[in-house]
Amino acid sequence: MASLNERRAIFVYEAARLAAQAAGAPVVPSTWDEREQPFREQFLKVIERQCGEQRSNSPEELHGSWVQAYLTMGWEYGPEYNRDAKVHPDLVPYSQLGYLERDKDAVFVGLCEIARQWI
């Protein structure tokens, strides 16, 4: 059986993925089960922090942490998303994101709070 943190992570990840799909976002991630292990490990750490006392309510701060995590995993900026080549168009400062991507970050904060309180 999955741990509490794993259940929270899967909920947040899949809900954020479905929200991106519903919004017609240019990048809709693969399902949790299809994600690579290094990604899952860093995401579990993010969810553990977001469901604890050190959580952040700042989409901008969380985006910065996301960028750093992706760079650490070997991703780089590129205009077109390519999972195999580890290229992502959102590896830019928060101020350079479009409204859709900023909204996605705000949704992530809300989903983390739902997971923290209800899962």
Side-chain angles (χ1 to χ4, degrees):
M1 181 174 189
S3 71
L4 174 61
N5 193 54
E6 288 172 309
R7 291 193 315 271
R8 286 173 168 168
I10 292 167
F11 165 78
V12 171
Y13 181 85
E14 289 296 339
R17 188 180 73 74
L18 292 173
Q21 186 177 40
V27 176
V28 176
S30 303
T31 64
W32 177 260
D33 291 337
E34 296 172 327
R35 290 309 300 254
E36 58 281 1
Q37 193 60 32
F39 172 86
R40 286 191 202 184
E41 290 170 8
Q42 68 82 28
F43 196 82
L44 287 166
K45 290 176 187 172
V46 170
I47 297 304
E48 185 172 22
R49 190 187 83 201
Q50 281 303 107
C51 290
E53 292 181 17
Q54 301 298 320
R55 65 188 167 275
S56 173
N57 290 319
S58 167
E60 184 171 3
E61 181 182 319
L62 288 170
H63 177 75
S65 296
W66 174 85
V67 167
Q68 188 56 53
Y70 264 58
L71 293 174
T72 299
M73 289 186 295
W75 286 72
E76 58 186 44
Y77 169 79
E80 297 290 326
Y81 177 79
N82 184 320
R83 182 175 158 194
D84 294 331
K86 292 187 172 184
V87 174
H88 205 298
D90 296 339
L91 289 172
V92 296
Y94 185 80
S95 62
Q96 293 179 19
L97 291 175
Y99 289 112
L100 186 60
E101 295 308 315
R102 288 184 191 192
D103 287 349
K104 187 171 78 173
D105 290 340
V107 166
F108 179 80
V109 171
L111 290 169
C112 288
E113 190 60 15
I114 291 168
R116 184 182 76 79
Q117 291 187 36
W118 300 104
I119 296 177

